[in-house]
Amino acid sequence: MALYYFDFDDNGTIFPDDEGTECQDLGAVRYEAIKALAEMTKDALPHGDHHKLAIVVRDEGGDLAFRASIVFNVVV
């Protein structure tokens, strides 16, 4: 298993992952990243009408392994 770092971006505010998570392969990285992004979206919904959320996954060497993002706008 390899160590990956899942950094969160909420409207440009970066929350770096300093601990990392061990994943079996890139399929597991993708699964964990998308699951985390869904949780971020759920947590952000009641706190504003516009969010651009992203998760950037780095490998042990600091290279980009995966990136996913979502943008939502609440229009009344």
Side-chain angles (χ1 to χ4, degrees):
M1 286 219 252
L3 193 61
Y4 293 90
Y5 298 90
F6 292 73
D7 301 329
F8 298 101
D9 178 341
D10 183 355
N11 287 332
T13 301
I14 308 296
F15 301 93
D17 175 7
D18 297 326
E19 295 179 25
T21 300
E22 287 188 346
C23 292
Q24 185 74 26
D25 55 24
L26 287 178
V29 168
R30 175 186 163 95
Y31 174 81
E32 292 299 326
I34 291 171
K35 187 170 94 174
L37 187 58
E39 281 296 313
M40 286 173 57
T41 303
K42 184 180 94 176
D43 292 342
L45 279 172
H47 305 289
D49 293 340
H50 174 77
H51 281 276
K52 180 177 181 186
L53 304 171
I55 188 161
V56 177
V57 184
R58 299 174 284 122
D59 64 16
E60 289 181 87
D63 295 324
L64 177 67
F66 184 83
R67 185 183 198 310
S69 63
I70 188 167
V71 175
F72 67 88
N73 294 300
V74 177
V75 180
V76 183

